[in-house]
C-alpha cells in the first residue's frame, strides 16, 4: 500500500478513502450537518469546501458548465449537486472561505473514539474591520493671528530662590525708552516760551547789579 501524504488514510486503500469522502460529502450537502469521528470530519472539511468553491464560481458565472461537471465527478447524486448549485452556493457568494464548522462532542461509547459534528455555516457573513494601523496623517498647519504675532512671547525662568518668573523675550525696555524720548520731544511749546522770558529777566537783573557796583 502506498504511503499517504498527509496523516493516516481512511479505510484500507485510496479508492476506499475516496468512496468514504464521497458519501460523507453527499450526506453533508443533503442534510446540512452530520455526526462522524473527528478524524473523518477533519479530512472531509477541505474536500467539501473545495466542492462548494466550485459551485460558488459557477454561481458567479465562471464557466458554470465545467464547474458542474467537476463536481459530478466527485458526487454522483444529481439531486444533491442541483441542491448544492442552486441553494447552498448562493448563500456563500460573499464569504471568502470557512463554509463548514467542526464541533467536538466527546468520545463515543464502546470504542471511545473522539466524535464531532461537521455542519454548514448558515450565519450571514459580516466582514470584520481591518486591524492594520493607519498611516499617521500630517498635522494641519496652525493659523496664527496678527494679535498673537504682535504679542511678546513669554518664557518661564527660575531665580535664585527657586521661584518661577515669566520673562518677555521682546526688548520691551528699549520700546519704553523710545516712547519716553518721543514724549519729551513733543512737549507744549508754551512751556518753553514761559521759561525763556524768565531766563532773560534774571540776566537783566545780574547786569544792573554789576553796573551799580
Amino acid at each position: 500500500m502506498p504511503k499517504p501524504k498527509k496523516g493516516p488514510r481512511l479505510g484500507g486503500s485510496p479508492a476506499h478513502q475516496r468512496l468514504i469522502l464521497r458519501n460523507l460529502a453527499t450526506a453533508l450537502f443533503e442534510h446540512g450537518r452530520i455526526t462522524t469521528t473527528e478524524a473523518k470530519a477533519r479530512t472531509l472539511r477541505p474536500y467539501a469546501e473545495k466542492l462548494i468553491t466550485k459551485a460558488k464560481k459557477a454561481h458567479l458565472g465562471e464557466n458554470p458548465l465545467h464547474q458542474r461537471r467537476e463536481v459530478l465527478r466527485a458526487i454522483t447524486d444529481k439531486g444533491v449537486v442541483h441542491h448544492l448549485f442552486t441553494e447552498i452556493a448562493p448563500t456563500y457568494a460573499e464569504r471568502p472561505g470557512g463554509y463548514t464548522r467542526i464541533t467536538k462532542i466527546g468520545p463515543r461509547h464502546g470504542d471511545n473514539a473522539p466524535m464531532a459534528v461537521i455542519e454548514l455555516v448558515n450565519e450571514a457573513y459580516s466582514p470584520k474591520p481591518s486591524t492594520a494601523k493607519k498611516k499617521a496623517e500630517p498635522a494641519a498647519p496652525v493659523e496664527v493671528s496678527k494679535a498673537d504675532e504682535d504679542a511678546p512671547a513669554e518664557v518661564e525662568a527660575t531665580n535664585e530662590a527657586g521661584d518661577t518668573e515669566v520673562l518677555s523675550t521682546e526688548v520691551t525696555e528699549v520700546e519704553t525708552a523710545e516712547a519716553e524720548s518721543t514724549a519729551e520731544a513733543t512737549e507744549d511749546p508754551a512751556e518753553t516760551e514761559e521759561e525763556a522770558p524768565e531766563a532773560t529777566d534774571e540776566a537783566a537783573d545780574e547786569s544792573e547789579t554789576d553796573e551799580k557796583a
Side-chain angles (χ1 to χ4, degrees), residues 21-49:
L21 294 177
R22 174 186 297 179
N23 294 333
L24 290 174
T26 302
L28 177 64
F29 296 146
E30 184 178 359
H31 302 287
R33 57 181 294 167
I34 58 175
T35 302
T36 182
T37 60
E38 186 177 338
K40 290 181 180 178
R42 291 183 182 276
T43 308
L44 173 64
R45 185 173 193 174
Y47 182 85
E49 290 191 354

Side-chain angles (χ1 to χ4, degrees), residues 8-182:
R9 179 179 287 116
L10 303 177
S13 63
H16 191 190
Q17 179 172 337
R18 285 195 297 268
L19 292 174
I20 291 174
L21 294 177
R22 174 186 297 179
N23 294 333
L24 290 174
T26 302
L28 177 64
F29 296 146
E30 184 178 359
H31 302 287
R33 57 181 294 167
I34 58 175
T35 302
T36 182
T37 60
E38 186 177 338
K40 290 181 180 178
R42 291 183 182 276
T43 308
L44 173 64
R45 185 173 193 174
Y47 182 85
E49 290 191 354
K50 289 178 182 178
L51 298 177
I52 295 174
T53 301
K54 292 180 180 180
K56 188 175 72 170
K57 288 181 179 179
H59 174 71
L60 297 176
E62 298 182 13
N63 201 352
L65 180 59
H66 172 70
Q67 302 295 345
R68 184 179 289 268
R69 286 174 176 173
E70 287 291 322
V71 174
L72 283 170
R73 291 176 59 187
I75 300 176
T76 57
D77 191 341
K78 294 183 179 180
V80 175
V81 173
H82 178 74
H83 177 71
L84 173 63
F85 277 76
T86 58
E87 298 184 14
I88 297 176
T91 59
Y92 299 134
E94 298 180 358
R95 185 179 291 273
Y99 311 121
T100 58
R101 180 190 298 115
I102 297 176
T103 306
K104 297 179 182 180
I105 58 175
R108 180 168 55 190
H109 295 290
D111 58 356
N112 202 31
M115 301 297 290
V117 174
I118 181 169
E119 58 185 346
L120 299 176
V121 177
N122 297 323
E123 291 81 3
Y125 173 68
S126 56
K128 296 181 180 179
S130 60
T131 58
K133 295 182 180 179
K134 296 182 180 179
K135 295 182 179 179
E137 297 180 356
V142 180
E143 297 181 358
V144 181
S145 61
K146 293 183 179 180
D148 296 337
E149 293 179 355
D150 297 339
E154 295 181 351
V155 180
E156 292 185 357
T158 56
N159 55 12
E160 296 178 357
D163 300 332
T164 58
E165 297 179 355
V166 179
L167 303 178
S168 175
T169 57
E170 299 290 339
V171 189
T172 55
E173 295 180 357
V174 177
E175 294 179 356
T176 54
E178 292 177 356
E180 291 178 357
S181 62
T182 53

